[in-house]
Protein backbone atom coordinates (compact mmCIF):
# COMPACT_ATOMS: atom_id res chain seq x y z
CA UNK A 1 0.00 0.00 0.00
CA UNK A 2 1.23 3.47 -0.87
CA UNK A 3 -0.07 6.97 -0.32
CA UNK A 4 0.90 9.51 -2.97
CA UNK A 5 0.42 13.16 -2.10
CA UNK A 6 0.44 16.05 -4.54
CA UNK A 7 -0.62 19.65 -4.91
CA UNK A 8 1.83 21.62 -2.79
CA UNK A 9 3.60 24.72 -3.98
CA UNK A 10 4.18 28.42 -3.50
CA UNK A 11 1.17 30.67 -3.06
CA UNK A 12 0.66 34.25 -1.97
CA UNK A 13 -1.18 35.09 1.24
CA UNK A 14 -4.91 34.88 0.68
CA UNK A 15 -4.49 32.34 -2.09
CA UNK A 16 -5.70 28.77 -2.38
CA UNK A 17 -4.25 25.33 -2.92
CA UNK A 18 -5.76 21.87 -3.14
CA UNK A 19 -3.81 18.89 -1.88
CA UNK A 20 -4.60 15.35 -3.01
CA UNK A 21 -3.50 12.01 -1.58
CA UNK A 22 -4.29 8.78 -3.40
CA UNK A 23 -3.96 5.35 -1.87
CA UNK A 24 -2.89 2.48 -4.11
CA UNK A 25 -1.96 -1.16 -3.84
CA UNK A 26 -3.81 -3.96 -2.11
CA UNK A 27 -6.77 -2.18 -0.48
CA UNK A 28 -9.83 -3.84 1.03
CA UNK A 29 -11.10 -0.86 2.96
CA UNK A 30 -9.96 2.54 4.20
CA UNK A 31 -10.88 3.95 7.58
CA UNK A 32 -10.07 7.45 8.80
CA UNK A 33 -7.89 9.64 6.59
CA UNK A 34 -6.12 12.78 7.68
CA UNK A 35 -3.71 15.56 6.84
CA UNK A 36 -0.89 16.56 9.16
CA UNK A 37 1.63 19.35 8.83
CA UNK A 38 5.02 20.18 10.26
CA UNK A 39 6.58 23.61 10.07
CA UNK A 40 10.32 24.13 10.63
CA UNK A 41 11.11 23.94 14.31
CA UNK A 42 7.62 22.79 15.21
CA UNK A 43 6.11 19.45 16.06
CA UNK A 44 3.84 17.72 13.60
CA UNK A 45 0.20 18.63 14.13
CA UNK A 46 -3.08 17.20 12.94
CA UNK A 47 -4.71 19.63 10.51
CA UNK A 48 -7.88 17.79 9.55
CA UNK A 49 -9.33 14.30 9.60
CA UNK A 50 -12.29 12.57 7.99
CA UNK A 51 -13.92 9.27 8.84
CA UNK A 52 -15.08 6.74 6.29
CA UNK A 53 -18.57 8.07 6.86
CA UNK A 54 -17.57 11.65 6.15
CA UNK A 55 -17.40 13.11 9.64
CA UNK A 56 -14.70 15.76 9.85
CA UNK A 57 -12.55 17.45 12.46
CA UNK A 58 -10.19 20.42 12.14
CA UNK A 59 -7.54 22.14 14.18
CA UNK A 60 -8.89 25.50 15.33
CA UNK A 61 -6.39 27.52 13.29
CA UNK A 62 -7.79 26.28 9.95
CA UNK A 63 -11.51 26.13 10.71
CA UNK A 64 -13.47 28.06 8.12
CA UNK A 65 -10.54 28.11 5.70
CA UNK A 66 -9.66 24.45 5.02
CA UNK A 67 -11.98 21.67 3.90
CA UNK A 68 -11.12 17.98 3.98
CA UNK A 69 -13.02 15.59 1.73
CA UNK A 70 -12.62 12.11 0.33
CA UNK A 71 -13.61 10.14 -2.73
CA UNK A 72 -14.00 6.56 -1.58
CA UNK A 73 -14.28 5.28 -5.14
CA UNK A 74 -10.86 6.75 -5.92
CA UNK A 75 -9.30 5.99 -2.51
CA UNK A 76 -8.34 9.65 -2.35
CA UNK A 77 -8.43 12.34 0.30
CA UNK A 78 -8.31 16.05 -0.48
CA UNK A 79 -7.50 19.19 1.44
CA UNK A 80 -8.87 22.41 -0.01
CA UNK A 81 -6.98 25.30 1.55
CA UNK A 82 -8.36 28.81 1.13
CA UNK A 83 -7.27 32.17 2.50
CA UNK A 84 -3.81 30.81 3.12
CA UNK A 85 -1.60 32.58 5.63
CA UNK A 86 2.20 32.60 6.05
CA UNK A 87 1.76 30.54 9.22
CA UNK A 88 0.26 27.74 7.10
CA UNK A 89 3.70 27.20 5.58
CA UNK A 90 4.71 23.62 6.32
CA UNK A 91 5.25 20.16 4.92
CA UNK A 92 1.83 18.53 4.66
CA UNK A 93 1.55 14.75 4.93
CA UNK A 94 -1.42 12.48 4.46
CA UNK A 95 -2.27 9.58 6.72
CA UNK A 96 -4.74 6.72 6.42
CA UNK A 97 -5.86 3.56 8.18
CA UNK A 98 -6.08 0.79 5.60
CA UNK A 99 -7.04 -2.88 5.56
CA UNK A 100 -5.26 -4.73 2.79
CA UNK A 101 -7.62 -7.68 2.87
CA UNK A 102 -10.60 -9.03 4.76
CA UNK A 103 -8.26 -11.06 6.95
CA UNK A 104 -5.57 -8.52 7.83
CA UNK A 105 -5.50 -6.01 10.63
CA UNK A 106 -6.00 -2.37 9.81
CA UNK A 107 -2.66 -0.56 9.56
CA UNK A 108 -1.57 3.04 9.57
CA UNK A 109 0.15 4.48 6.50
CA UNK A 110 1.86 7.78 5.73
CA UNK A 111 2.32 9.49 2.42
CA UNK A 112 5.38 11.52 1.51
CA UNK A 113 5.17 15.16 2.45
CA UNK A 114 4.33 17.96 0.09
CA UNK A 115 5.64 21.44 0.80
CA UNK A 116 3.24 24.35 1.03
CA UNK A 117 4.85 27.78 1.13
CA UNK A 118 2.74 30.88 1.70
CA UNK A 119 4.73 34.00 0.93
CA UNK A 120 4.51 37.22 -0.98
Amino acid sequence: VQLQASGGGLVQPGGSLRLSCAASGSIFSIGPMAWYRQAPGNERELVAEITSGGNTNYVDSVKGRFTISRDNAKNTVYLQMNDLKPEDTAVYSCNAWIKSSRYTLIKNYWGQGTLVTVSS
Side-chain angles (χ1 to χ4, degrees), residues 7-24:
L10 173 64
V11 63
Q12 292 186 343
S16 298
L17 280 176
R18 188 194 196 204
L19 305 182
S20 300
C21 177
S24 62

Side-chain angles (χ1 to χ4, degrees), residues 3-4 14 23 28 31 38 43 45 47 49-50 52-53 60 62 64 78 84 88 91 96 99 101 114 116:
L3 296 178
Q4 181 68 44
F28 175 75
Q38 186 168 20
E43 293 186 354
E45 69 169 348
V47 177
E49 59 187 345
I50 184 167
S52 56
D60 285 346
V62 308
Y78 305 97
L84 282 159
D88 294 317
V91 174
K99 280 178 64 72
S101 75
T114 184
V116 172

Side-chain angles (χ1 to χ4, degrees), residues 28-87:
F28 175 75
S29 64
I30 302 179
M33 305 181 82
W35 286 96
Y36 288 75
R37 68 185 178 187
Q38 186 168 20
N42 290 358
E43 293 186 354
R44 183 167 59 193
E45 69 169 348
L46 174 65
V47 177
E49 59 187 345
I50 184 167
T51 67
S52 56
N55 293 319
T56 59
N57 184 48
Y58 299 90
V59 66
D60 285 346
S61 60
V62 308
K63 286 180 179 178
R65 300 187 298 122
F66 290 11
T67 302
I68 190 170
S69 62
R70 62 192 285 170
D71 185 332
N72 291 328
K74 295 182 179 180
N75 294 331
T76 300
V77 63
Y78 305 97
L79 186 68
Q80 177 66 43
M81 304 184 293
N82 298 329
D83 189 24
L84 282 159
K85 304 176 180 181
E87 52 264 41

